[in-house]
Amino acid sequence: MDAIGSRTVLITGVSRGLGRVLALELANRGHNIIGCSRAQDALNSLHSQLSSSNPNHNHLFLNADVRLNSSVEELARTVMEKRGVPDIIVNNAGTINKNNKIWEVPPEEFDSVLDTNVKGTANVLRHFVPLMIAAKKQGVIVNISSGWGRSGAALVAPYCASKWAIEGLSRSVAKELPEGMAIVALNPGVINTDMLASCFGTSAALYQAPEAWAPKAATMILNLTAADNGASLTV
């Protein structure tokens, strides 16, 4: 158990990649995980993995599509009924376009990136921030950004645009939150995930493994305070 005490952490896009390893790391430290994803089989797998290591856990995994306001509304309702207001929210759900020049990216693929990465984050903020405020939580919200939210890169313009949006959204919402709360944009660095492999191909394997990243990220997230509100951070 971390010295700071047990926290309840909501992680979107928990079924794979950074979301999954972060959930495992935080659970191993004694924190309670609320995870959501569209992939029910992967949620079941993660639940089983955590149950086998800690049968007395208090984790909750729910099928939800952050792109849909109605789905996140139902997610918030269920979370409140079963676990109450989270202490920390990690807006991790994300996707990337296939490498292509912007004029060659299909409209539906562009929409998918923006709907997941930007509107998905906004939907979570819409339904959970009022709950955190009402509960007078010293709540922390972490919006997963990217180095490509602070720079540009060819062939991934939709993804870059979405992460620049996350940076701006985070800084703006920081000015709207009450004293005591914090929202940050967190660049995880370059990590060997499926998303990176879609851009870099086999050379993605040259970069840091998610399992090596998770302990550093967990420590940083758990130690965020109101003093960090509005920050753009990098693990």
Side-chain angles (χ1 to χ4, degrees), residues 76-227:
R77 185 180 301 114
T78 303
V79 168
M80 281 298 291
E81 289 174 358
K82 294 182 178 292
R83 294 294 185 273
V85 183
D87 299 297
I88 300 171
I89 293 174
V90 182
N91 280 310
N92 166 75
T95 189
I96 195 168
N97 59 287
K98 294 177 183 176
N99 284 8
N100 253 327
K101 297 182 175 71
I102 187 64
W103 55 90
E104 296 171 346
V105 176
E108 59 273 13
E109 189 174 1
F110 186 93
D111 289 348
S112 177
V113 172
L114 272 293
D115 285 352
T116 303
N117 299 4
V118 183
K119 290 167 67 175
T121 297
N123 286 337
V124 172
L125 297 178
R126 179 180 300 114
H127 292 289
F128 280 93
V129 169
L131 300 176
M132 297 176 100
I133 293 173
K136 301 191 183 316
K137 286 268 186 181
Q138 305 295 299
V140 171
I141 301 162
V142 179
N143 295 330
I144 298 298
S145 183
S146 170
W148 284 342
R150 302 167 192 176
S151 64
L155 307 181
V156 285
Y159 181 78
C160 289
S162 75
K163 292 305 183 178
W164 277 83
I166 287 299
E167 293 281 335
L169 181 70
S170 301
R171 293 186 193 187
S172 297
V173 175
K175 299 178 182 298
E176 300 170 354
L177 293 178
E179 187 175 352
M181 291 184 63
I183 185 168
V184 303
L186 181 62
N187 168 20
V190 185
I191 316 296
N192 180 18
T193 62
D194 291 344
M195 283 176 57
L196 190 71
S198 78
C199 305
F200 287 16
T202 55
S203 64
L206 300 173
Y207 294 88
Q208 182 178 201
E211 293 77 11
W213 168 86
K216 295 177 286 186
T219 296
M220 174 179 282
I221 289 169
L222 290 169
N223 284 283
L224 291 171
T225 69

Side-chain angles (χ1 to χ4, degrees), residues 14-15 35-37 39-48 61-63:
V14 77
S15 63
C36 72
S37 167
Q40 188 61 54
D41 288 348
L43 286 175
N44 295 342
S45 168
L46 180 56
H47 187 269
S48 297
F61 295 100
L62 300 165
N63 193 301

